[in-house]
Amino acid sequence: MTALTPVPRAFYDRDTVEVAHDLLGAFLVHNLAGEVRVGKIVEVEAYLGESDLAAHSSKGLTPRTRILFGPPGFAYVYLIYGIYCCMNVVTEREGNACAVLLRALEPVQNLRDRTQGPGLLCRAMGIDLRHNGHDLVSADFFIAPRDGNEPRQVVARPRVGVDYSGLWASKPLSFYLDGNPYISRK
């Protein structure tokens, strides 16, 4: 595998749906005490700020959502069901509170556990609450660009588990690589 380097901050400082599409096929890289874990991102969900009733930011600025309202290119990691961590990447300009949830990875290097689903993805990659607010333009935990020559077909569908969000529940803001065996849901 060639050397992987972080995408620049400008990659995240764009429309959230565009970032979500461009994350598919990119590589999540985490150096854990010398063991480098790498997974190809194959499934994501876009969250579009305070007006998106499925987004954590719809409740406004709180201690939990502070990272979402900050500058782009940082990890927003939170706990669900009291046991699973989920990771989002903050997108768009500071104050917009938009993000992309990473839902599934295709294992590439040093991933021995399942990676289909946001909680399993974080567990396999060694991501926990200590990574909340981590700058993704760093040397130890980052997203590297996808191979631009690799053919891919992106599929859009409604997001998973957001039935409570009214009209937002049916919006096609979940994206995955068609035919990839590591997606969490079709």
Side-chain angles (χ1 to χ4, degrees):
M1 177 186 296
T2 60
L4 298 172
T5 58
V7 296
R9 190 160 321 278
F11 174 89
Y12 303 104
D13 192 8
R14 301 178 294 135
D15 175 78
T16 301
V17 172
E18 288 179 22
V19 174
H21 277 258
D22 290 345
L23 282 169
L24 292 171
F27 298 93
L28 181 61
V29 180
H30 191 192
N31 186 340
L32 284 164
E35 179 186 72
V36 179
R37 297 182 186 182
V38 181
K40 182 194 292 187
I41 300 167
V42 297
E43 184 181 1
V44 298
E45 290 181 354
Y47 289 88
L48 305 181
E50 289 184 274
S51 64
D52 181 345
L53 297 180
H56 289 176
S57 57
S58 69
K59 306 289 189 234
L61 179 62
T62 67
R64 180 184 191 190
T65 64
R66 179 183 55 81
I67 299 300
L68 288 171
F69 285 86
F74 287 80
Y76 169 56
V77 180
Y78 58 90
L79 201 59
I80 59 168
Y81 310 125
I83 51 174
Y84 296 109
C85 285
C86 294
M87 179 188 161
N88 290 254
V89 296
V90 177
T91 59
E92 299 193 21
R93 72 181 188 284
E94 189 167 351
N96 275 16
C98 297
V100 177
L101 172 69
L102 304 183
R103 284 199 53 83
L105 297 175
E106 177 181 322
V108 174
Q109 182 178 318
N110 294 322
L111 290 179
R112 293 169 280 287
D113 298 323
R114 290 186 55 218
T115 57
Q116 296 105 320
L120 293 173
L121 177 158
C122 284
R123 183 179 293 162
M125 288 294 293
I127 299 166
D128 59 33
L129 293 176
R130 292 174 293 185
H131 297 97
N132 187 40
H134 184 91
D135 187 349
L136 294 170
V137 182
S138 68
D140 62 336
F141 180 44
F142 60 90
I143 293 173
R146 68 181 177 88
D147 177 359
N149 296 322
E150 183 179 346
R152 63 189 191 131
Q153 177 68 39
V154 175
V155 177
R157 64 162 186 246
R159 293 174 291 192
V160 176
V162 296
D163 294 340
Y164 58 85
S165 64
L167 295 174
W168 285 94
S170 63
K171 294 190 180 290
L173 294 171
S174 182
F175 309 99
Y176 65 91
L177 293 178
D178 191 34
N180 189 287
Y182 293 96
I183 63 170
S184 66
R185 298 202 182 174
K186 277 194 176 183

